[in-house]
Amino acid sequence: MLDIRDLSVSYGKHQALDGASLHVNMGEIVVILGANGAGKSTLLKAMSGICEGQTSGSVTLDGHTISGLKPDRIVEEGIALVPEGRGIFGDLTVEENLKLGAFPERARDEEQANLDRVYALFPKLTERRKQIARTMSGGEQQMVAIGRAMMSSPQILTLDEPSLGLSPLLCKELFQNLSAVRELGIGILMVEQNAKQSLAIADRGYLLENTRIIHEGRAEALMTDPAVQAAYLGGGGKAAAPVITKATDTVHQQPKPSKAVIPSQRKPRQTADSLVGFDVSDLVAKAGQSAASERTAHQPSSGATSGSKTSLTSATKAGELGAMLKEFEIAAARAGRSSPLPSYQKPGSRSAETVSPANPKTEKPVTIEIYRAPRVEVYRRKPSTGAFEKE
């Protein structure tokens, strides 16, 4: 039996573990639950002899004190650790990783028997025995890490977050395999944040909070404990307290306070039509008509006098453009009175007209810029008539 008494760890003035006490029997799964930073991994490292902090307290295995021993001697005594992140040798094959676990003297004579036992427990490793470990999936690498620890013939197997990074399906398979390891008579001490599945296979559990063990009990009792459900199993909060009417002895559920409805403070958006004072689509339509007349003016036709036609279209275009600019000036002046716009001159613009404000003392001038998109038109001379035709 593994027995830990008043185990404490500190890193300088920082207390990482404070007086933890627990025990693990042979053939028993014990899970340690707690939030990040509570001291779970520190506890496993301290009992395995690889903690870098100052450690105090006692750790005994079958009555023999192992606290203070070197890590390799602790493995020889019968405690094997599967660290967080697996820690396998990625460039070696599966079988080479497993055989490295049989290095302790206690396991050398039983190397082949332990290897057969690992392959029986994890059949996938039998198929992948010659595969490079780093090319395997996360779940398969976790099997290699657990199998390597079992190759040392441990009495107590300790695991630090074995389900970390695994999919739900692989997690389920992993915990089933740990149940099979228990059937071999090996005690398991497991640090795990997947409280639901770990408690489902565990015999007992401990709650570690702020470096201290605050509660322990059977796994079934912890599963139904409201505090454990709320903290680790995703349980809801406390239900509303019932109100009992003495006259009728009727139980009424206290209604939940309704949330106050706060009206929206957003201001209504102003449309372009409401800002300018008339329908902007009319200006767009007129601009389109002006562009169409410009394209017609540039298209040559046979049998027509080019000089007179050009002068006529130029005069018409100038008149339409002037009228359209006048309407833009009126629109800009109205918009400037409601929300003054900054004067802006874009480099390289074709033309810009500045509209004087109605009140120069309080309003800024508004600049209207007109841009024309570049247009490329191709004409070919018809050999028969000599006239140009647009493609």
Side-chain angles (χ1 to χ4, degrees):
M1 181 181 72
L2 174 68
D3 188 22
I4 299 175
R5 296 290 180 183
D6 297 325
L7 187 60
S8 299
V9 177
S10 61
Y11 296 90
K13 295 182 179 180
H14 173 68
Q15 192 74 28
L17 190 65
D18 188 7
S21 298
L22 57 89
H23 67 277
V24 182
N25 298 318
M26 298 297 112
E28 182 183 40
I29 296 180
V30 176
V31 62
I32 302 176
L33 302 177
N36 289 331
K40 305 185 302 297
S41 298
T42 301
L43 190 151
L44 295 187
K45 291 179 180 179
M47 61 175 289
S48 300
I50 59 174
C51 184
E52 298 178 353
Q54 298 177 354
T55 305
S56 62
S58 65
V59 181
T60 60
L61 181 63
D62 290 341
H64 297 88
T65 301
I66 62 174
S67 53
L69 297 179
K70 293 183 179 180
D72 60 318
R73 293 305 309 166
I74 293 177
V75 175
E76 291 285 356
E77 292 292 333
I79 295 180
L81 171 65
V82 180
E84 181 181 353
R86 306 177 188 102
I88 62 175
F89 297 94
D91 293 330
L92 302 182
T93 64
V94 171
E95 190 162 332
E96 289 172 341
N97 271 274
L98 295 176
K99 289 186 175 180
L100 283 175
F103 182 79
E105 295 181 4
R106 61 178 289 126
R108 293 179 184 177
D109 295 338
E110 301 178 358
E111 178 179 343
Q112 190 58 47
N114 288 334
L115 187 61
D116 295 339
R117 183 171 59 177
V118 170
Y119 283 147
L121 185 62
F122 305 109
K124 287 186 179 180
L125 298 186
T126 307
E127 305 170 3
R128 311 289 180 90
R129 59 197 307 168
K130 299 301 181 182
Q131 184 173 342
I132 300 298
R134 59 180 168 80
T135 63
M136 305 175 72
S137 67
E140 292 167 345
Q141 291 183 20
Q142 191 64 273
M143 295 178 189
V144 175
I146 296 174
R148 182 185 60 186
M150 292 181 59
M151 289 292 293
S152 64
S153 298
Q155 292 180 272
I156 301 293
L157 180 65
T158 61
L159 302 100
D160 192 359
E161 301 283 0
S163 68
L164 185 65
L166 301 185
S167 66
L169 184 61
L170 290 177
C171 283
K172 183 178 179 180
E173 184 179 357
L174 170 67
F175 288 120
Q176 289 175 349
N177 291 332
L178 292 178
S179 298
V181 172
R182 173 178 53 188
E183 300 301 324
L184 300 176
I186 300 175
I188 298 177
L189 178 61
M190 176 171 51
V191 164
E192 181 59 57
Q193 289 205 22
N194 191 335
K196 190 171 184 179
Q197 292 195 25
S198 59
L199 286 176
I201 66 168
D203 298 287
R204 292 184 300 108
Y206 293 86
L207 301 184
L208 187 61
E209 183 175 337
N210 294 330
T211 73
R212 292 175 176 269
I213 292 180
I214 61 172
H215 186 57
E216 65 173 297
R218 303 292 301 176
E220 298 84 356
L222 293 177
M223 287 279 285
T224 57
D225 191 310
V228 177
Q229 289 181 348
Y232 305 106
L233 301 178
K238 296 181 180 180
V243 178
I244 302 177
T245 305
K246 294 183 179 180
T248 57
D249 292 335
T250 305
V251 178
H252 301 280
Q253 192 70 21
Q254 184 177 359
K256 295 182 179 179
S258 59
K259 295 182 179 179
V261 179
I262 302 175
S264 176
Q265 301 296 329
R266 296 179 60 184
K267 297 182 179 179
R269 296 180 59 185
Q270 290 183 326
T271 62
D273 295 342
S274 63
L275 186 63
V276 174
F278 56 86
D279 191 357
V280 180
S281 60
D282 293 340
L283 296 180
V284 178
K286 290 182 179 180
Q289 293 175 1
S290 176
S293 63
E294 182 182 354
R295 288 195 299 270
T296 306
H298 281 79
Q299 182 175 358
S301 60
S302 60
T305 305
S306 60
S308 61
K309 190 170 184 179
T310 303
S311 61
L312 179 61
T313 55
S314 298
T316 304
K317 181 178 64 175
E320 292 179 353
L321 185 59
M324 188 169 60
L325 283 175
K326 189 64 177 176
E327 293 185 6
F328 274 116
E329 291 176 4
I330 297 172
R334 291 178 180 175
R337 295 188 189 101
S338 59
S339 57
L341 301 175
S343 178
Y344 173 71
Q345 179 68 31
K346 182 176 181 180
S349 60
R350 287 285 189 90
S351 60
E353 296 290 338
T354 303
V355 180
S356 300
N359 189 354
K361 294 182 179 180
T362 59
E363 300 178 5
K364 296 181 180 179
V366 179
T367 300
I368 302 177
E369 300 178 5
I370 299 176
Y371 299 91
R372 293 180 180 176
R375 184 183 302 276
V376 178
E377 296 181 350
V378 180
Y379 295 86
R380 290 188 181 275
R381 185 188 298 274
K382 195 173 182 179
S384 59
T385 63
F388 288 95
E389 290 186 351
K390 183 180 177 181
E391 290 189 347

